[in-house]
Each structure stands twice: as structure tokens, then as C-alpha cells.
Amino acid sequence: MEEQPSLLLQRYRRDRRNLLEFLFSSGLIKELQTPAGPITALSDLDFDNLSADYVLHSIKSDGVVDISEATKKYFDESSYPVMIHSRLGNSYFLLSDPDLSGSPPRRVPPPTDVKRTADHASCSSREPDPLIVENIGASMDNFSSKYKATTGTSLSALEDVNIPPLGLPCLNTGLSDDDLRESAYEILLASLVFSGVEVHTVEDRRKEKSSKFLSGLKSRREKIHQQSQFRGRHSAIVDTIRIQMQISEAMDACIRQRLTQLAAWRMWESIDIPKISLGLLNSIFKSDFLNEKSYMQWKSRQASILEELLYFSANLEASERATIKSSLAKIRNSKEWDITMSPSERAEVLSAITQVDFKLSSLSGKFSIQGETYYWTAGYHLNIGLYEKLLFGVFDVLDEGQLIEESDELLMLNKLTWCILGITQKMHNALYGWVLFQQYVGTNEAILLEYALLELQKAVSGENADQKEELYMDSLACSRQFNGIEIKLSLVQAIFFSISSWCEDKLQDYHLHFSQKPCNFSRMMNLMSAVGILASGDSGDIKLIRLNASNESATRKLKTYVERSIRAAYRRVASTIDLESKVVRTHPLALLANELRLIAQREFSVFCPVLRDWCPESGMIAAMRLHQIYGERLKPFLEGVSSLSEDVRSVLPAAHMLDHDLTQLYISACEENRQHHDLNQDLDHYPIGEVAKPIILDWVIAQNSRILEWTGRVFDLEEWEPLSSQQRMATSIVEVFRIIEETVDQFFGLNLSMDITHLQALLSIIFHSLDAYLLKLLNQLVDKNHLYPLAPPLTRYEETVIPIMKKKVLEHKLLEDDVSKKLKELTVSKLCIRLNTLKYIQKQIGVLEDGIRKSWALIRPSAGQRWAEEDPLETSENSLLSCSEAVDELFVTTFNSIRDTATDAISKICDFTGARVVFWDLRDAFLFFLYRGNVEGARLDGVLPQIDTVLDHICGLIDDTIRDLVVFSICRASLEGYVWVLLNGGPSRAFSDSDITIMEDDLNMLKEFFIADGEGLPRSSVEQEANFAEQILSLYSIQTGTVIQMLMTASEQISTGLDSVNRDSRNHEKMGLEDAQTLMRVLCHKKDKQASRFLKRQYQLPTSSDYDDTPSEDLSLRSPLISDLLKRSSSFRWSNNGQSSFNSFKKKLIEATSDIRNVAW
């Protein structure tokens, strides 16, 4: 809590005084000089009017301090602002920071200057009289105290915090708050002194410091360290009270001294306020004050106190009242009282007043209470004001929101004034609670409200008050105006009435008053529960009634407070919403909905939990009122909605969220208030879902065409290069998912009620976008058969002795331009990027699905938001189950379809990649090199390094999760290529029995290459793929006659229709040793005369020497028709043309079957 300027000034003056006392008692000062000679006691000095800077400068220079110069310096310095010792000398300090000072203060500013009298100027030219020097401090303290009272504290600033007054009778003499505060302190001192409590004066405290200082002047080495004299706890508390009540030390010492003398003389058996004032007037004179103004103020205050209690008494006769009037006029006349009249004449005037006081004080009390005096009831309005000032002393002057540590002891001392002021225990509790309440209002310190509640609860209980005291307190009348009617209240009732009025005022707009510190709201409601709530009786009178849920009048008033506070909060927000809308460029209805949501949330979390103890329907009322207020402004807007514009995007979600929050508030209030059926009605929800459904669908449809166009554009620009070294997918797919995710975010960012139709539309966008991307990717591939070379013509082995001058040349496949162009783009590197992209799609589609599922779970379909419908539980559960199943089916259908398409594309591209590597990129190194001419000179170990190089390149590009798939496809293609060499090797390949062992070693070498000592592919998978190649090698190991016999058997199956033409050619197990296609090729490539003779006789096949089988650089030549004879499976496939050619060749085999059987080989 920031300190008020006057508090800072007070602390500064106290610290400066302590510094000077330390300097003068430390022995650092060698000599004190005054015009009248050296000073013998520190009590002769007034530290409040000495310049600390001058004293410090004197200590640094020669240790000689001139008191008159120090006083002059002090007044010179105080006349100007504090300056910075800069070269220009034009900088000074302000008491507050202009940038942080905030809005202008509400209170009247204090005076900025003090008029100096001529006495101040004469201080430097003559020896200061001890009492005059002391009174200089008193004068300054009086000024600072008045400044403090008018600006720093909230003791009398009730008008600033709008606390209704108690309605006590007005003071006829116009005594100010400062007058009451100073008089209250005098009464407290008198109570202490006349009760026998010893109090010490300022003079007593300074004698010790004086002796210590004088001993330091005699010799620094011979300092006498004396222990401080015990002053007593009561004296310390009184000093604290003096500081708290801002009484100067000089004035305090004077009052203590005079009161102590009066008590010693034992002039009165009992004391009252007039006796105290008369005693002080008789013993304090003008010479005790610094200036005439201070004296006149003090004397006028004493006269006003006497006039208030004596002159306006109803028990005086006219002559007595005239005596009082004339006597007080003499006292107020400074010239007559202080100059013209002699001491005896002044004594006569005071004696006349004393006689009137004696008469009144002798009157018995009205209620026969022990210790009761006439002034208890005659001057109760003054007594209560004085006691309030004493109670305000418990608050720390430096932190008004805190009690001082000695507050309990201060209250105990205040009890000594009860017999003078007519205070009882219940009155004390009520007044102390009232003072604590006022201080809370001024400081907003919550603990003070807690303390006030405790004191007021004690006053309500009234356990210690008997019937006489109750009658006495009821007689202390207060007058209040309520709705133009004057009502009479007792003191306690007036306190409760004022507190209840303040609480009622705050409840009219509790959202304004308790939003910053919501914890104070519950305390305020407890306070109102203790004092009661204002209500009109049956006869129209005003009364306080207990605040509880069973009291219909109290509950009805609280309902009114809820409605008024809600409307006030709305008006406050609506008043600035149009301007704010222009600043932030957002529709006013969206901003209004957000602000009302905050109000609803605050009502739900802060105020309803408190109010429902007394008004269970508060939450329902607040929800209905806010819903109604916003609905009136929303309805015209909804009628004009036709598309998803920016305004619609901002207003509909905000209105939807407000509707949801208000619904939750209403539901919660209904559940806790089931017994109140009169308010238990449904909220008429805003028709946001009906308005939003068609425009959301229109928006989704528009997004679909936009995303498809964007997908096609980014795909066409794709060059199939990796996005980065870590992210090896294509750039285009990242962009596609980005635009999809943005659309999904925008979709769910609408924050509107949606149903399964909207979800279906969104998933349709995702499906069509990714499906279009996958389709485009697959369309870039070519048929794998274009990669395979044409099978050479079937020939029989024959050793050529005479060279043939002219041989037939093998023809090669000619690719179409479009296919050739695609193949150039389908390099192994770019195929790997495509595979990585497909794998990225598989991963990302799972993330996308999870995100959409979670977002959808947060959205309640509009049909499911009818919380107020009272459908049977079983029907509701079945409906929810059916809706959930439909949503799950929609997700499964959409995303599984994309996953299946991506998986199929990965399989196709992997298969294509393996064929590309072996049958296209390594065609010369593998297919045209292996076993060409002779087996031993062209073995597989010359091919494997090139395959290994390709694998290293691929593994550096491919994603780790699909690496094995690609390697396996190359393994399978390599085994296919090996089989191609065995069966489709052409005229340049013929295998003898001795070659078979070498070829088997090569096949094992190829298998172990991909197994890689257990670090490569699984052995079982490799063995399964190599099974067909092993079967082919086993055919070469069989005797030629046996192979011929197997071919004859296979030919019979062809003739009976049991051939394998129509079976699944991809199944290796069904293309075994008895397959006619395989057997024919084996015989063509056997280096065996018997086989050659059989092929020549039965099929008239040409010899291998008739063809020039040298590899050609031109791979686009067409192959002969016979090359399409056989069609290979996944491990060995014939070309497409080979299927039709094989049908004609099959006829030849059938015709030759009968002849073959009868021939001996």
C-alpha cells in the first residue's frame, strides 16, 4: 500500500529527529553556541527546528554548532523545495511521481504553505527561551497533524467513501475533527492521571539524553554509559497513542504536566469533560504557546466544548445560560482574557462556569446505571464523537489498513474513559465495529472487515448488556432520512442501518465493487447477515430483517440486487463496446458476448457460491437475465446472416460460447435449487445451429474445390527432391497437409455447433485431396513390363565348326515416346522420394485422424445439445451410441481407404523399383553379362558389387521404416533376373552338367548377399523367393531323357486342357518342374546333343549359331514374335505378347506329341 504524502513527511520528521538526537549525544559535537551562552541541558533544544544538514556540516568542519544558525537554516530550507546539488541548480524533487500518480485525487488538497510570524525571524537574534523553542516544534507538529488529519487518514473523510452517517445530533459549536481528536486525547490523559496511572513527560525522557550529551562534552574518553530508566508500560502505550493521534510532543508535555498537577491537588472527587476543560483553562496560558494562532485555536476549542455541554443543556435556567454565554465570550476574547483581565478576574469567570457544571453534574442519571452522570445522555453526541477518535487510534499512521501491535493495550486504556463518556460494553462493540468498518471502506483491507464482523456480532448477541443498559442505549437517538421519511433509531440500530445501507448500495452493482477483490464479497454478505437487510414493513415503516433463505422479503431483495447488478454490468460494457469495436475492428456483438461471458464466469465462480446460501435462485436469475439481454441484440443480426463473412465468423462463435456458459450456469443453479419450480424453465437457446449449418456446408464445399486446385498445382511443380537431409519426403505433400490442417483448424475454429453432416463434408475434403494426390502419383508410373527386355528366340545348342558369314540379329523392344519420357523421370532416387512421401502420408494421416477425433469430441452436435429435453434415458443412450457408431464408421471408411491406397502405392512402387534396378539400370551388367559365352568366365561375383552400390545409394535415401521393403523388392527382382538368365538367356548361353555346380554356388552367393549374415533380409523370405530358381537349376541336373519325358507329359496336359495357362502364373509352387514352358526353355539351354536332336526333329528350332547375340546399344528395337512365347509370374513373367504367341506354339506341341512318344532317344 502506497504511503500518503503526509505520512512520508511524518516519518521523515521522526527519522530526522532521531538522527539529531544521536548526533548530539554521540560526543561528536565539541561545543554548542547560543547568543546567551552555552546550553546545559538537551531539553532546551527543539530538534524539530534544527537543520540536520547544518549540524552534519559543522561536525565535519570544526565540531562547533550554533543553535541560532541551525534554526535559521531549518526555516530557510523548509521555505523551498528540496534541490539537487547540480551545476544548474534548477532540479528539485517532487513528493510524488507525476507519471505514476494516476487520476486526480478526490479529496480537497491540503494547504501548500504556512504563514511565518515575525517570531521566526527573531529566533536568530536572541537566545531561544526553552519553552518557546519547545513550542516551535509544537506549532510545526500541529500543522503536520492537521495536514495528516485532512489528507492522510480516513478518520473523518466519510463523504469520500459514501458511508451513510449515523444521524447523531449535530454539534452546535461546529467542532472540527481535529478539535475532537485533540480533546479525545486530553480526556484519555485525564482518565489515566486521575486513575492513578503514572505518565512521563517529554522533559523526563530528555534528562537522560542531556546527561549523556554533557558527559560527552567533558571528555570523549570518559563517557558514562547509564542504563535507561524504566518508564513503565503504560507510559510507552501513551506515547504510542500520542503518535497515533498526531499530538505534538510539546503540547503533550504541557497537557500531561497540568493534568498531573490537577490530580495531585485532588480538586474533584470525580471528573467530567467540563471539569477537564476548566482545569486546563485555569492552568495553561498564552505564554505556553509559540504563537497566538495556536493558542487561540486551543482556547477556542475548550470554550466550544464547554458551550456544547453547558450552554445548550436543557436543564439550565435563563440566567445560568446567560452567565455561560458571557463567560465563554470573555474566554474567546483574546484581548480581554489575556491582557485586560487579571488572574483573579479570570478565576471568577471560570468559577461561574464551574458552578453551572457542578449543578449539572450533581443531577442523577436517568437510568440508575452505576457511574452514570448527567452528561452521558445530555452530551452523548459529543461523547460518541470523542470515543470514535480514540478508537481510530488503533490504526497504524503509516499503514492505515493495519492495526498497531499495541491495539489491545490501547483499547484497554480507552476503557478508562468509559465512565466519562458514558460507554458500555455493547456500545464499545458496536462503535468499534463501526470504526473498523469505516476504515475498511477507506482502505479496502479485508482483515478489517473480518474484525468489524466479529465486533458487530458481539453487539448483536448483547450477552453483557442488562435491561438498564439497553434502555440507556435506546435513548441515544439518531435521526435518518430514508425515502424522504425521517426515522428515529437507537445508536446500535443507526450503526446497523448505516452499514446495511452501504452494503445495499454495493449490492446494487456488486460486479463493479467486488471484481478486483472477490474474497471481500463473502465477507460483506456475512456482515450484512449480521446487521440485517433493509426492508419495508407491512405498515410502510423501514426495518432491518434477518438475512436467511427462509425469509421471503430478504430473498426477494437479493433477487433484485442480482438483476440490478447484472444490468449495471451490462450497461457498463455496452457503453464502450462500439468504440472498442472500431479500435480492434471486431463486430460489437462478438466483443459484447465475450464481455458477458466474463460476467457470467465471474457470477458462476465468485458470486453465486456466496449468494446461494441466502438466495438459491441467484444463478438462474443471472443466467436468464444475461441470456435475455444478449438475445435481444443478437436476433436482428441472425436474421441477416447469409454467408460466412468475417462478422459472422466472429459473432456466431462468441454467441455460441456465451449460450454454452449461460446454460452451464443455469444447469448448476437448477441442480442446487430443485425445490424452486417457479424458475425451473428452459433457456430459449439462440438459433445459432440452424443459422450456421447451411453456411458451414457452403464454406466446406468452397474449400474442397480450392484445396483440390492447390493440390494439383503443387503436385505439378514437384521435382521429387527431398525436403531436407532429415526430412526426405517431397515438398508437395508437406504443402498438401499444411493446407488440409489449416482447413481443419478453420473448421473447428468456427466454434459452432455441428452435426455429422459437417464432419462428413470435412472428411470428404481430406479424402478427395489425398486421393487425388495418390492417383496423380500412381499415374506417373509405367507398366513394369516395359522394363523387361524381349525374350530372345528359342534355339537349340550346336557347336559350330565352320563360321557362318551372315547371322540373324536379335531384335529389341521399341518403347513409345510417352513411356520413354516417364521412365527417364522414374529414376531410383526419385522413386525413393516417392516412397518416403507415401510413408509420410501413412504417418501423417494417423496424426490428422487423432486430431480431428479429439476436436470433434469437444464439439457437441446441435442435436445433442438439447440438455433440457427430458427424453427417456434409454432412448438418449441409444441415440448417442448410434451417433458414435456412425462417426466411427465415417472415420474408418475415410482414413482406412487412404491408408489402403497408400499401402498399395508403396507396394507397386517397391515392385517397380526392384524391376527398374535389375532389368533396366543393371540390364547390361546383370542380364547381358551373367554366364554369357561360358559360365566360369562370367559369374555372379562380377555383378554383386554393382548391386551393392545401388543398395547403398537407396539406403541413404529411403526412410528406415520402408527400407526392408525396397531391399526385398530388389532381392526378388535379382532372383527373377537370375531365372531370366537361366530360361531366357538366348543363343549365347548353354549350360553343361559341370556348369550346374558353379551356378548353384552363384545362387547361394546371391542369397547370402541379401541375408548379410543375419543383418539383412530374413533368411526365410529369401529362401522362399529363391525356391523357383533352385527348381530350375535342379532341372538342369536331371538327365536329358527325363526332361524330354516330362515335356511329353506336360504336352499331354496341354492337349487335355489341364495345362497351367489359365492358372495363377504368380504362384511359384504351381510352376514347378512339370511346367511345359519351363521344360522347353531348359532343353533349349542345355549343352547336350540329345536335347538338340530332339528340338530339331520335333520343333525344327534353329541352332544358336544362326544368331548374333552381341548386346546392342539400341534398346528400342522390336523383338521377334517368338519372344512372347512365355509369360512370367512375380518371380518369372512372360511378356504380354507372349501369351498369344504361346497359344499358337501350344498347337505345335500337341501335334508333335504322338510322334515324340514313339521315338527312342
Side-chain angles (χ1 to χ4, degrees):
M1 179 177 178
E2 294 185 1
E3 296 179 342
Q4 297 291 337
S6 59
L7 298 182
L8 293 172
L9 180 61
Q10 181 77 5
R11 188 172 65 176
Y12 163 72
R13 295 181 73 254
R14 186 186 68 239
D15 292 344
R16 188 173 62 83
R17 188 185 307 117
N18 293 335
L19 172 62
L20 288 172
E21 290 178 354
F22 168 75
L23 294 175
F24 277 89
S25 61
S26 62
L28 299 174
I29 300 176
K30 298 178 181 179
E31 183 181 355
L32 288 176
Q33 294 181 353
T34 63
I39 294 178
T40 59
L42 284 181
S43 59
D44 297 337
L45 298 176
D46 183 7
F47 296 113
D48 292 335
N49 293 297
L50 298 180
S51 171
D53 290 338
Y54 171 78
V55 173
L56 290 172
H57 178 73
S58 298
I59 292 175
K60 291 180 180 179
S61 58
D62 54 4
V64 177
V65 176
D66 188 337
I67 297 300
S68 59
E69 185 66 21
T71 305
K72 181 177 180 297
K73 288 285 186 182
Y74 169 77
F75 287 112
D76 290 343
E77 293 170 357
S78 61
S79 299
Y80 303 98
V82 179
M83 305 294 293
I84 299 176
H85 296 290
S86 61
R87 179 175 301 178
L88 297 177
N90 58 358
S91 301
Y92 58 91
F93 293 105
L94 292 175
L95 192 58
S96 61
D97 187 347
D99 296 332
L100 303 178
S101 59
S103 59
R106 294 175 296 174
R107 299 177 179 177
V108 178
T112 57
D113 194 11
V114 177
K115 294 182 179 180
R116 306 293 178 179
T117 64
D119 294 337
H120 295 162
S122 64
C123 290
S124 59
S125 60
R126 61 180 177 87
E127 178 183 357
D129 182 77
L131 185 57
I132 297 299
V133 174
E134 188 71 42
N135 285 334
I136 293 176
S139 174
M140 295 305 297
D141 281 340
N142 286 336
F143 165 69
S144 64
S145 300
K146 293 177 182 178
Y147 178 80
K148 167 74 172 112
T150 56
T151 63
T153 65
S154 57
L155 306 186
S156 60
L158 304 185
E159 69 280 3
D160 296 332
V161 289
N162 299 320
I163 302 177
L166 294 181
L168 289 167
C170 296
L171 295 173
N172 298 291
T173 55
L175 288 167
S176 66
D177 285 341
D178 288 342
D179 294 334
L180 293 177
R181 172 174 49 78
E182 293 170 1
S183 296
Y185 181 71
E186 292 173 354
I187 293 170
L188 177 61
L189 283 182
S191 301
L192 292 172
V193 171
F194 283 90
S195 299
V197 177
E198 183 180 3
V199 292
H200 296 272
T201 63
V202 178
E203 187 75 17
D204 298 331
R205 296 196 306 273
R206 292 184 174 174
K207 285 181 180 179
E208 176 191 356
K209 299 178 182 177
S210 176
S211 62
K212 185 177 180 181
F213 168 70
L214 294 175
S215 65
L217 291 179
K218 294 177 181 179
S219 174
R220 297 184 181 180
R221 299 181 180 180
E222 300 177 358
K223 290 182 179 179
I224 302 175
H225 301 282
Q226 300 178 354
Q227 185 177 6
S228 299
Q229 184 180 5
F230 178 73
R231 297 169 53 198
R233 183 61 180 165
H234 286 305
S235 181
I237 296 299
V238 173
D239 285 342
T240 302
I241 296 174
R242 180 191 63 79
I243 296 173
Q244 289 294 109
M245 300 191 72
Q246 305 164 18
I247 306 298
S248 68
E249 290 183 2
M251 198 66 197
D252 175 57
C254 183
I255 298 297
R256 290 193 194 192
Q257 184 179 9
R258 301 306 186 267
L259 289 176
T260 302
Q261 293 172 357
L262 292 174
W265 295 338
R266 300 185 180 276
M267 297 178 58
W268 310 303
E269 295 180 359
S270 62
I271 61 171
D272 51 36
I273 297 177
K275 287 184 177 65
I276 296 172
S277 294
L278 290 170
L280 293 176
L281 283 171
N282 193 37
S283 57
I284 296 179
F285 307 102
K286 182 178 180 180
S287 58
D288 294 328
F289 290 85
L290 171 65
N291 53 54
E292 183 178 358
K293 181 179 179 180
S294 300
Y295 171 66
M296 288 300 296
Q297 288 176 346
W298 177 86
K299 187 175 63 172
S300 176
R301 173 167 59 83
Q302 302 298 336
S304 297
I305 292 291
L306 293 172
E307 181 180 7
E308 189 71 39
L309 294 175
L310 301 179
Y311 178 78
F312 293 101
S313 174
N315 296 86
L316 288 184
E317 298 178 359
S319 59
E320 294 173 330
R321 185 171 284 107
T323 299
I324 293 296
K325 182 176 182 181
S326 62
S327 299
L328 293 178
K330 293 177 182 179
I331 293 174
R332 288 192 173 101
N333 190 324
S334 179
K335 181 177 180 181
E336 183 179 3
W337 181 260
D338 297 307
I339 300 175
T340 306
M341 297 179 67
S342 64
S344 59
E345 291 174 335
R346 289 196 295 267
E348 290 178 3
V349 172
L350 296 177
S351 177
I353 300 175
T354 303
Q355 291 177 4
V356 176
D357 171 58
F358 179 77
K359 172 187 174 182
L360 295 177
S361 61
S362 300
L363 298 176
S364 60
K366 293 183 178 181
F367 303 98
S368 302
I369 302 174
Q370 183 180 1
E372 181 185 1
T373 66
Y374 165 79
Y375 296 110
W376 279 25
T377 54
Y380 72 91
H381 59 301
L382 176 62
N383 297 338
I384 292 171
L386 294 171
Y387 193 66
E388 277 191 76
K389 298 308 173 186
L390 290 175
L391 292 176
F392 273 114
V394 301
F395 303 111
D396 193 339
V397 294
L398 298 181
D399 188 355
E400 296 176 312
Q402 301 297 324
L403 301 179
I404 60 175
E405 295 181 359
E406 305 87 349
S407 59
D408 292 337
E409 297 170 275
L410 187 150
L411 293 175
M412 290 299 296
L413 292 181
N414 284 348
K415 267 192 172 184
L416 296 176
T417 65
W418 287 11
C419 60
I420 299 177
L421 301 176
I423 305 299
T424 65
Q425 183 64 51
K426 184 174 181 179
M427 285 179 63
H428 164 77
N429 293 334
L431 288 172
Y432 189 34
W434 169 244
V435 167
L436 288 167
F437 170 75
Q438 293 179 80
Q439 198 71 5
Y440 157 72
V441 174
T443 63
N444 205 28
E445 189 66 40
I447 191 63
L448 297 180
L449 193 58
E450 294 281 359
Y451 295 154
L453 178 60
L454 293 175
E455 295 299 325
L456 292 172
Q457 287 174 342
K458 293 178 184 178
V460 171
S461 62
E463 297 176 355
N464 299 326
D466 57 17
Q467 185 177 4
K468 293 180 180 179
E469 290 183 358
E470 290 291 345
L471 293 174
Y472 162 64
M473 287 186 291
D474 290 341
S475 69
L476 307 180
C478 299
S479 178
R480 289 293 307 275
Q481 291 286 333
F482 189 82
N483 293 336
I485 302 175
E486 183 176 359
I487 57 176
K488 297 294 183 179
L489 301 169
S490 67
L491 174 63
V492 176
Q493 288 175 339
I495 291 174
F496 288 179
F497 193 98
S498 295
I499 294 176
S500 182
S501 298
W502 181 88
C503 293
E504 182 178 25
D505 180 69
K506 301 307 174 187
L507 281 175
Q508 303 286 345
D509 193 358
Y510 54 77
H511 277 274
L512 172 65
H513 299 294
F514 298 100
S515 294
Q516 297 298 324
K517 290 188 176 181
C519 59
N520 287 350
F521 182 71
S522 61
R523 297 186 177 98
M524 188 273 295
M525 289 301 299
N526 290 330
L527 180 66
M528 195 170 190
S529 176
V531 302
I533 187 171
L534 295 174
S536 300
D538 297 335
S539 59
D541 58 331
I542 305 301
K543 61 181 181 179
L544 292 171
I545 59 176
R546 298 291 298 172
L547 186 61
N548 54 62
S550 60
N551 192 314
E552 294 184 1
S553 298
T555 303
R556 192 183 310 114
K557 291 213 69 173
L558 288 180
K559 291 179 183 178
T560 304
Y561 297 152
V562 173
E563 291 199 6
R564 289 179 179 176
S565 183
I566 290 296
R567 290 192 177 277
Y570 163 73
R571 288 193 297 269
R572 192 161 45 252
V573 170
S575 64
T576 60
I577 209 69
D578 292 332
L579 178 60
E580 184 180 356
S581 173
K582 295 178 181 179
V583 174
V584 300
R585 297 183 179 180
T586 304
H587 198 280
L589 284 177
L591 298 177
L592 180 61
N594 294 332
E595 292 295 333
L596 294 184
R597 277 186 66 204
L598 296 177
I599 295 174
Q601 292 170 2
R602 194 159 52 242
E603 184 77 30
F604 179 74
S605 61
V606 176
F607 302 118
C608 278
V610 177
L611 288 171
R612 66 188 178 199
D613 293 336
W614 298 282
C615 181
E617 306 97 321
S618 60
M620 301 167 63
I621 295 172
M624 293 176 64
R625 191 62 58 233
L626 285 172
H627 198 274
Q628 175 191 352
I629 290 172
Y630 187 75
E632 293 173 354
R633 295 193 60 172
L634 180 65
K635 183 179 179 181
F637 178 83
L638 293 180
E639 293 175 352
V641 171
S642 59
S643 63
L644 202 61
S645 63
E646 288 299 324
D647 288 343
V648 174
R649 285 171 181 263
S650 62
V651 173
L652 292 191
H656 176 67
M657 294 302 297
L658 175 62
D659 187 75
H660 176 267
D661 289 355
L662 294 179
T663 299
Q664 295 302 316
L665 175 60
Y666 191 82
I667 291 174
S668 176
C670 287
E671 291 176 350
E672 297 173 0
N673 187 43
R674 297 183 183 276
Q675 69 274 17
H676 294 268
H677 299 288
D678 56 334
L679 286 177
N680 196 6
Q681 55 185 350
D682 295 346
L683 285 179
D684 186 13
H685 293 279
Y686 306 139
I688 297 174
E690 301 173 7
V691 175
K693 183 175 180 178
I695 62 175
I696 292 176
L697 288 177
D698 293 342
W699 178 81
V700 173
I701 293 172
Q703 297 305 305
N704 184 38
S705 58
R706 182 178 67 89
I707 295 176
L708 286 176
E709 179 183 357
W710 185 258
T711 301
R713 183 183 307 169
V714 297
F715 189 90
D716 294 340
L717 296 175
E718 182 59 66
E719 296 180 354
W720 302 107
E721 296 294 334
L723 184 64
S724 65
S725 58
Q726 289 78 25
Q727 296 176 306
R728 291 175 284 188
M729 75 290 293
T731 306
S732 57
I733 193 59
V734 176
E735 188 67 17
V736 169
F737 270 103
R738 184 192 64 79
I739 193 67
I740 289 176
E741 290 168 358
E742 285 183 359
T743 304
V744 171
D745 291 341
Q746 292 176 11
F747 179 82
F748 289 108
L750 296 174
N751 293 324
L752 295 173
S753 178
M754 301 178 186
D755 55 25
I756 195 172
T757 305
H758 299 107
L759 178 63
Q760 186 177 8
L762 176 66
L763 296 182
S764 177
I765 288 180
I766 297 172
F767 173 78
H768 286 99
S769 300
L770 294 177
D771 186 68
Y773 187 91
L774 292 171
L775 183 61
K776 284 179 173 290
L777 191 148
L778 289 174
N779 288 339
Q780 288 185 335
L781 298 179
V782 298
D783 189 350
K784 189 176 69 171
N785 289 328
H786 291 299
L787 299 173
Y788 297 115
L790 290 175
L794 294 179
T795 59
R796 56 187 175 84
Y797 172 75
E798 182 178 357
E799 293 183 1
T800 303
V801 179
I802 301 175
I804 300 176
M805 299 303 296
K806 189 175 182 180
K807 292 185 177 182
K808 298 178 181 179
V809 179
L810 297 178
E811 296 184 1
H812 299 277
K813 183 186 296 185
L814 182 63
L815 299 178
E816 297 179 358
D817 293 340
D818 182 56
V819 174
S820 179
K821 182 179 180 180
K822 286 185 176 181
L823 279 176
K824 289 181 181 179
E825 294 296 327
L826 295 174
T827 62
V828 172
S829 299
K830 295 188 177 183
L831 288 172
C832 289
I833 302 304
R834 285 174 170 84
L835 288 172
N836 293 339
T837 301
L838 292 171
K839 192 62 183 179
Y840 177 79
I841 292 175
Q842 288 184 327
K843 293 178 181 178
Q844 204 65 19
I845 201 66
V847 176
L848 182 62
E849 180 182 5
D850 292 341
I852 295 176
R853 282 184 179 271
K854 291 178 181 178
S855 298
W856 181 254
L858 299 176
I859 294 180
R860 303 293 183 189
S862 56
Q865 286 194 357
R866 303 294 298 177
W867 61 270
E869 293 181 357
E870 298 182 356
D871 293 338
L873 181 61
E874 182 178 356
T875 303
S876 178
E877 291 180 353
N878 292 337
S879 177
L880 290 175
L881 181 61
S882 176
C883 181
S884 177
E885 291 176 351
V887 170
D888 287 340
E889 182 179 357
L890 188 59
F891 274 103
V892 169
T893 302
T894 302
F895 289 101
N896 282 358
S897 177
I898 298 173
R899 290 188 184 96
D900 293 342
T901 303
T903 301
D904 183 61
I906 288 176
S907 177
K908 288 183 179 180
I909 295 180
C910 283
D911 198 30
F912 184 86
T913 302
R916 164 88 192 203
V917 170
V918 174
F919 290 94
W920 191 266
D921 295 339
L922 298 179
R923 175 180 294 186
D924 291 340
F926 194 159
L927 301 183
F928 295 162
F929 167 77
L930 186 63
Y931 304 151
R932 185 177 187 82
N934 63 84
V935 172
E936 189 171 357
R939 295 189 60 179
L940 190 64
D941 54 2
V943 181
L944 291 182
Q946 299 187 52
I947 298 177
D948 185 61
T949 300
V950 174
L951 289 177
D952 287 342
H953 176 66
I954 290 175
C955 290
L957 292 174
I958 204 69
D959 188 271
D960 293 341
T961 57
I962 55 175
R963 179 188 58 193
D964 289 349
L965 288 177
V966 179
V967 174
F968 182 77
S969 69
I970 296 175
C971 173
R972 184 168 55 190
S974 299
L975 292 170
E976 290 179 8
Y978 189 78
V979 171
W980 190 92
V981 171
L982 296 182
L983 299 181
N984 247 359
S988 61
R989 292 180 176 89
F991 311 121
S992 62
D993 294 339
S994 59
D995 293 335
I996 302 305
T997 302
I998 298 174
M999 295 166 66
E1000 289 177 347
D1001 292 341
D1002 284 352
L1003 179 59
N1004 291 330
M1005 185 188 307
L1006 182 61
K1007 291 191 296 182
E1008 292 300 327
F1009 174 78
F1010 286 100
I1011 295 172
D1013 296 329
E1015 296 183 359
L1017 299 175
R1019 182 176 294 274
S1020 59
S1021 299
V1022 176
E1023 291 289 353
Q1024 184 178 356
E1025 288 298 324
N1027 183 48
F1028 187 67
E1030 292 174 347
Q1031 290 181 13
I1032 300 301
L1033 285 178
S1034 66
L1035 288 178
Y1036 282 104
S1037 301
I1038 300 174
Q1039 295 292 328
T1040 303
T1042 304
V1043 177
I1044 293 174
Q1045 189 62 40
M1046 293 171 64
L1047 177 60
M1048 293 170 58
T1049 303
S1051 299
E1052 289 180 357
Q1053 293 177 355
I1054 293 175
S1055 63
T1056 57
L1058 300 177
D1059 60 318
S1060 59
V1061 173
N1062 295 324
R1063 62 190 173 180
D1064 186 5
S1065 62
R1066 296 178 182 270
N1067 195 328
H1068 289 182
E1069 286 75 8
K1070 294 183 179 180
M1071 290 192 64
L1073 300 177
E1074 298 179 356
D1075 189 89
Q1077 305 174 41
T1078 303
L1079 295 173
M1080 175 66 72
R1081 294 278 178 175
V1082 169
L1083 289 176
C1084 289
H1085 290 83
K1086 280 182 73 70
K1087 188 183 291 187
D1088 183 86
K1089 293 181 180 181
Q1090 182 181 3
S1092 178
R1093 244 186 347 263
F1094 170 77
L1095 294 174
K1096 178 181 180 181
R1097 179 176 299 178
Q1098 297 300 326
Y1099 300 106
Q1100 296 82 39
L1101 294 181
T1103 62
S1104 57
S1105 58
D1106 292 344
Y1107 289 89
D1108 184 5
D1109 197 13
T1110 303
S1112 174
E1113 296 296 331
D1114 186 7
L1115 301 179
S1116 61
L1117 298 177
R1118 293 188 178 273
S1119 60
L1121 181 61
I1122 195 63
S1123 64
D1124 294 329
L1125 176 63
L1126 303 177
K1127 182 178 182 180
R1128 293 168 287 117
S1129 66
S1130 60
S1131 293
F1132 175 68
R1133 295 188 177 83
W1134 307 99
S1135 63
N1136 292 333
N1137 295 333
Q1139 182 63 43
S1140 59
S1141 301
F1142 181 76
N1143 291 330
S1144 60
F1145 182 72
K1146 180 173 65 175
K1147 296 179 180 180
K1148 295 183 179 181
L1149 290 176
I1150 296 173
E1151 293 172 356
T1153 300
S1154 58
D1155 298 334
I1156 294 174
R1157 290 176 181 172
N1158 298 325
V1159 176
W1161 300 94

